[in-house]
């Protein structure tokens, strides 16, 4: 590394994290907070909204482990903000592993679900100007002993009163889209530069451009003119198209939610609603965003608990932004259930998708399955399914599976087209590390040039974020990285099926998982 490379990266990192991102929400207005802690388990919005709330302040502690705290937020959007995007910033006080601590579901004053809250999703949409009334159903998920052993420790030492979190932020704010865009541009290009190999011409070009921006941006003078000039400097760096031989990644949003793991079923129901609400909010903001949903059981819970939210999901399905994937009722284990149980998973799952949403998934979707016995391809084909998507085999401890796209042949000779997304994750964050790993490790490079990339925080983390979608659009055609297409699982299957070579590899028998 050149002796100045690290200095430039450090300057850019500080500029993004210490200056630009904190300044995105410079214009704020106060919210008054009150709270109500539930002692006897969750209650619906209609019941809670009628009850008295107690005064609560930013900085106060909340969150009995396993309990629910409702927050009421009231304020006024200033008249001067008319016509501008306004949000309520709510930081529940959790910086831990997403999905294993503080989560919330936001409502407007009439009880309509707005979006989920989590460590990576901290804003609620607000209409204005004028009075604002919002509610947040917040939960403090405890971490079981098995979760602690797995590395999901309770964040920080316990407080004397046993409360887990401290409400850090609750304000109305107007984001500055140009500052947010500059921060996103710089972060993406700096990360891409760091991942390119020494000696690549693109690396030196990026480093020079980043250094020029760092020299020109004075943290004390973040005027619109300065920000616009800095973004203009980055246009040539972001406008260089990718090479014709680059891998095309079909990027599909998802949020893998374990139906049963480190929390009770009641929390799975709430995680599903929070995640769906957050995904629907992103769909409204970005028509190209597609979110894959794999488990009918979880959508059925949403239909029971939040009928209006489910109807929005139905509409999103009809317009192609919510994509049902996987034909099973839940993402089942592959080792312990009997063949009869697995057959019923396929039968009941496909029946629900067809009768309730009028769709028929084309693939089996088991990214986190615990085993791959040789009888599965036969079961899949008898259910009318020809494709299989998984991820967990990349966790093998000793022997790497040598393919990413191949025919998987079962005991009876049945074959399904199997795909392991080469980024080796089903919870991607759109980092350059993951995208370049996918391109460099893709086993079928040369024979195929299409693969899946699955992104989004799971298990209550809320799925994809606005930052991920910004990165997706910037990576659409960018030199030094794979080509990224905001797509669907169906779009990927159509694309790869059109280019399958006659000699695509065949794997016969069990796919052995060296884990657990």
């Amino acid at each position: 590394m050149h002796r100045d490379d690290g200095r430039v990266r450090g300057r850019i990192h500080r500029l993004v994290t210490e200056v630009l991102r904190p300044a995105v929400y410079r214009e704020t207005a106060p919210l008054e907070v009150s709270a109500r802690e539930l002692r006897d388990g969750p209650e619906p919005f209609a019941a809670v909204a009628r009850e008295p709330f107690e005064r609560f302040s930013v900085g106060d502690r909340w969150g009995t482990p396993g309990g629910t705290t409702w927050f009421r937020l009231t304020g006024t959007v200033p008249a001067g903000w008319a016509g501008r995007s306004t949000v309520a910033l709510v930081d529940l006080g959790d910086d831990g592993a997403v999905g294993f601590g503080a989560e919330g579901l936001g409502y407007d004053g009439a009880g309509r679900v707005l979006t989920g809250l989590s460590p990576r999703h901290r804003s609620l949409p607000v209409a204005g100007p004028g009075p604002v009334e919002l509610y947040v159903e917040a939960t403090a998920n405890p971490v079981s002993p098995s979760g602690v052993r797995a590395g999901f420790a309770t964040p920080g030492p316990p407080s004397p009163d046993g409360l887990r979190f401290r409400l850090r932020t609750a304000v109305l704010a107007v984001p500055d889209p140009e500052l947010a865009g500059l921060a996103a541009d710089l972060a993406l290009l700096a990360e891409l530069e760091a991942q390119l190999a020494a000696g690549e011409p693109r690396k030196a070009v990026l480093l020079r451009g980043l250094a020029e921006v760092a020299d020109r941006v004075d943290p004390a003078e973040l005027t619109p003119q300065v920000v616009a000039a800095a973004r203009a400097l980055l246009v040539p760096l972001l406008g260089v198209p990718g090479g014709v031989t680059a891998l095309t990644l079909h990027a599909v949003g998802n949020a893998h939610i374990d139906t049963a793991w480190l929390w009770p079923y009641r929390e799975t129901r709430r995680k599903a609603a929070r995640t769906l609400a957050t995904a629907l909010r992103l769909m409204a903001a970005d028509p190209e965003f597609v979110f894959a949903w794999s488990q009918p059981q979880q959508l059925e819970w949403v239909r029971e608990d939040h009928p209006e939210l489910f109807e929005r999901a139905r509409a999103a399905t009809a317009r192609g932004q919510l994509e049902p994937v996987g034909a099973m009722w839940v993402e089942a284990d592959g080792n312990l259930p009997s063949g009869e149980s697995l057959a019923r998973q396929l039968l009941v799952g496909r029946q629900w998708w067809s009768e309730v949403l009028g769709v028929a998934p084309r693939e089996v979707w088991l990214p986190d399955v615990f085993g791959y016995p040789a009888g599965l391809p036969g079961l899949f084909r008898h259910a009318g399914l020809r494709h299989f998507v998984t991820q967990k085999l990349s966790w093998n401890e000793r022997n790497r599976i040598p393919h990413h796209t191949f025919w998987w042949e079962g005991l009876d000779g049945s074959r399904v087209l199997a795909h392991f997304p080469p980024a080796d994750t089903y919870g991607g964050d759109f980092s350059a590390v993951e995208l370049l790993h996918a391109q460099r490790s893709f086993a079928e490079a040369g024979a195929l040039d299409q693969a899946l990339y699955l992104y989004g925080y799971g298990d209550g983390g809320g799925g994809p974020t606005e930052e991920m979608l910004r990165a997706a659009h910037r990576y659409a055609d960018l030199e030094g990285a794979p080509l990224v297409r905001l797509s669907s699982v169906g779009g990927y299957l159509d694309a790869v099926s059109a280019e399958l070579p006659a000699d695509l590899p065949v794997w016969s028998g069990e796919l052995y998982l060296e884990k657990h």
Side-chain angles (χ1 to χ4, degrees), residues 139-471:
T139 183
N141 288 325
V143 180
S144 70
S146 62
V148 174
R149 288 195 296 273
F152 302 108
T154 299
S159 62
D161 55 12
L163 301 179
R164 287 192 61 187
F165 302 107
R166 191 185 299 275
L167 183 67
R168 284 198 291 238
T169 305
V171 295
L172 295 169
V174 175
D176 184 326
E178 290 302 310
L179 270 173
L182 177 58
D185 292 344
L186 286 172
L188 182 148
L189 290 172
E191 188 180 44
L192 178 60
E193 181 277 324
Q195 292 303 312
L196 294 176
E200 291 189 41
R202 175 69 163 158
K203 186 179 185 73
V205 171
L206 289 176
L207 198 64
R208 285 196 299 271
L210 292 169
E212 187 174 5
V213 172
D215 289 338
R216 292 208 183 182
V217 175
D218 182 352
E221 294 291 334
L222 286 180
T223 64
Q225 293 77 18
V226 168
V227 173
R231 296 202 73 183
L233 290 173
L234 297 179
V235 168
L237 302 181
L238 291 164
V240 182
V244 295
T245 59
L247 176 66
T248 296
L249 291 177
H250 294 255
V252 180
N254 82 121
H256 171 74
I257 301 175
D258 290 284
T259 301
W261 192 22
L262 302 178
W263 44 78
Y265 281 130
R266 76 164 197 207
E267 208 53 44
T268 310
R269 299 177 79 113
R270 298 203 286 183
K271 288 175 183 287
R274 297 170 194 136
T275 302
L276 180 60
T278 303
L280 290 169
R281 180 187 179 189
L282 285 178
M283 291 176 200
D286 190 335
E288 294 183 49
F289 170 58
V290 176
F291 186 78
W293 197 285
S294 63
Q295 303 185 76
Q297 171 64 87
Q298 294 175 5
L299 276 184
E300 180 62 26
W301 281 331
V302 173
R303 182 161 72 152
E304 295 169 0
D305 297 343
H306 302 281
E308 190 273 338
L309 181 64
F310 181 80
E311 289 307 311
R312 280 189 267 159
R314 187 193 300 276
T317 303
R319 66 176 183 266
Q321 282 192 275
L322 184 69
E323 182 183 24
V325 296
M328 290 185 164
W329 180 245
V330 297
E331 292 181 16
D333 178 37
N335 274 338
L336 294 180
S338 66
E340 173 72 12
S341 175
L342 291 169
R344 288 180 180 273
Q345 284 280 349
L346 293 162
L347 176 66
V348 175
R350 296 198 76 194
Q351 184 177 13
W352 190 93
W353 285 126
S354 175
E355 293 180 355
V356 177
L357 289 180
V359 294
R362 300 160 56 182
E363 67 291 307
V364 179
W365 177 280
L366 295 174
D368 193 28
V369 70
F370 280 52
Y372 305 81
L376 287 182
L379 277 172
F380 299 162
R381 286 305 300 267
H382 281 294
L385 299 157
R386 298 174 177 270
H387 306 97
F388 177 56
V389 178
T390 189
Q391 181 63 67
K392 204 162 191 174
L393 277 166
S394 66
W395 295 12
N396 270 12
E397 295 172 329
R398 293 174 181 83
N399 299 291
R400 178 179 176 83
I401 300 297
H403 312 298
H404 286 108
T405 307
F406 59 97
W407 294 112
W408 183 21
E409 183 176 87
L411 289 173
D412 63 353
S414 297
R415 290 183 179 182
V416 292
L417 181 65
H419 181 63
F420 304 161
D424 291 343
T425 180
Y426 50 77
D429 60 6
F430 255 106
S431 64
V433 173
E434 291 177 353
L435 299 182
L436 291 176
H437 173 73
Q439 178 157 285
R440 292 163 179 166
S441 67
F442 186 48
E444 281 67 54
L448 297 172
D449 62 4
Q450 313 273 341
L452 275 175
Y453 176 65
L454 309 180
Y455 65 99
Y457 297 111
D459 283 328
T465 66
E466 293 178 10
E467 291 76 15
M468 292 180 193
L469 289 176
R470 286 195 191 103

Side-chain angles (χ1 to χ4, degrees), residues 94-176:
D94 182 11
D95 291 322
V98 292
F100 302 95
E103 300 173 41
L105 183 62
Y107 299 76
D108 65 16
R112 185 175 188 269
V113 172
L114 297 176
T115 190
L117 293 173
S118 66
R120 302 295 187 272
H121 302 83
R122 292 177 171 171
S123 70
L124 301 171
V126 173
V132 170
E133 182 181 25
L134 302 169
Y135 291 81
V136 174
E137 179 194 29
T139 183
N141 288 325
V143 180
S144 70
S146 62
V148 174
R149 288 195 296 273
F152 302 108
T154 299
S159 62
D161 55 12
L163 301 179
R164 287 192 61 187
F165 302 107
R166 191 185 299 275
L167 183 67
R168 284 198 291 238
T169 305
V171 295
L172 295 169
V174 175
D176 184 326

Side-chain angles (χ1 to χ4, degrees), residues 13-61:
H13 176 75
R14 289 189 295 275
L15 179 61
V16 170
T17 60
E18 299 175 13
V19 178
L20 297 178
R21 285 176 179 163
V24 168
Y25 294 100
R26 287 184 291 190
E27 293 184 75
T28 63
L31 280 171
E32 185 173 313
V33 184
S34 54
R36 177 175 177 80
E37 184 175 358
L38 303 185
R39 304 286 183 179
D40 301 317
E43 295 180 14
F45 171 88
V48 173
R50 293 193 300 265
E51 299 296 330
F53 278 60
E54 299 179 359
R55 187 170 181 82
F56 196 93
S57 298
V58 171
D60 289 351
R61 287 191 175 276

